[in-house]
């Protein structure tokens, strides 16, 4: 396709996200496959909620010739689900829109992703801010009106 009629800039005005803990919203996922080892994974995409317009990803191995790889992938997925308030995940669609706190790191290519080196320990529930307490007006039980005649204003 000829793109000469479009202004395409390779430079981004937005700085790269810095590694750290962020609140993430689960926005989508897809199944990916690779290699000759039977690797099939769920690739999740998260939107960073607290800063800029950033997206990060995480992968969870679901199939592999090595059963330990699958065990780790399923355990990480279970920890994500629990941090999102789901105890019995049956479909990844249940995660869409859920918030989770997780550590974001830069991979070897410099792209942001959820820290996958800690076996899912990075996933934590998002702490909900306490609702403001309702302040009730001070009311008197008596029907008598308070005398304010001595107040000098």
């Amino acid at each position: 396709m000829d793109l000469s009629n479009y202004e395409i800039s390779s430079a981004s005005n937005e700085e790269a996200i810095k590694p750290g803990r962020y609140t993430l919203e689960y926005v989508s996922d897809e199944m990916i496959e690779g290699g000759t080892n039977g690797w099939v994974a769920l690739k999740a995409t998260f939107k960073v909620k607290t800063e800029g317009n950033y997206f990060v990803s995480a992968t969870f191995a679901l199939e592999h010739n090595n059963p330990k790889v699958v065990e780790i992938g399923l355990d990480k997925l279970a920890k994500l689900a629990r941090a999102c308030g789901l105890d019995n995940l049956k479909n990844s669609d249940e995660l869409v829109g859920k918030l989770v706190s997780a550590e974001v790191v830069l991979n070897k290519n410099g792209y942001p992703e959820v820290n996958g080196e800690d076996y899912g320990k990075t996933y934590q529930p998002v702490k909900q801010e306490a609702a403001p307490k309702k302040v009730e007006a001070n009311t008197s039980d008596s029907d008598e009106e308070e005398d304010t005649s001595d107040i000098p204003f």
Side-chain angles (χ1 to χ4, degrees):
M1 174 180 191
D2 180 13
L3 299 174
S4 59
N5 292 332
Y6 302 94
E7 185 177 329
I8 300 173
S9 173
S10 61
S12 172
N13 294 338
E14 196 166 21
E15 290 183 32
I17 191 169
K18 295 185 176 28
R21 180 160 292 279
Y22 293 94
T23 296
L24 309 176
E25 178 183 3
Y26 193 107
V27 293
S28 67
D29 56 54
E30 63 181 310
M31 297 298 286
I32 56 175
E33 298 179 29
T36 58
N37 54 14
W39 183 74
V40 175
L42 177 74
K43 179 180 179 183
T45 301
F46 300 88
K47 182 177 188 327
V48 178
K49 295 296 288 181
T50 54
E51 191 157 324
N53 192 30
Y54 298 111
F55 291 87
V56 298
S57 64
T59 55
F60 306 91
L62 303 176
E63 296 178 24
H64 194 279
N65 293 346
N66 181 345
K68 186 68 176 170
V69 171
V70 174
E71 179 183 331
I72 291 169
L74 293 175
D75 186 53
K76 286 173 30 178
L77 189 55
K79 287 175 180 171
L80 167 63
R82 277 194 298 278
C84 290
L86 302 170
D87 290 329
N88 193 12
L89 185 66
K90 294 293 182 193
N91 189 314
S92 63
D93 290 343
E94 296 174 60
L95 291 166
V96 174
K98 299 288 187 189
L99 298 179
V100 67
S101 172
E103 182 184 4
V104 172
V105 296
L106 300 179
N107 66 19
K108 64 183 177 183
N109 296 321
Y111 293 107
E113 62 183 27
V114 175
N115 181 5
E117 300 297 318
D118 68 354
Y119 301 102
K121 294 176 186 168
T122 188
Y123 297 111
Q124 298 175 3
V126 173
K127 293 180 178 148
Q128 299 296 327
E129 291 186 25
K133 292 183 180 179
K134 184 177 180 181
V135 178
E136 294 188 24
N138 185 13
T139 57
S140 174
D141 289 344
S142 71
D143 291 336
E144 294 179 25
E145 299 242 351
E146 193 173 330
D147 181 17
T148 58
S149 61
D150 292 338
I151 299 176
F153 53 85

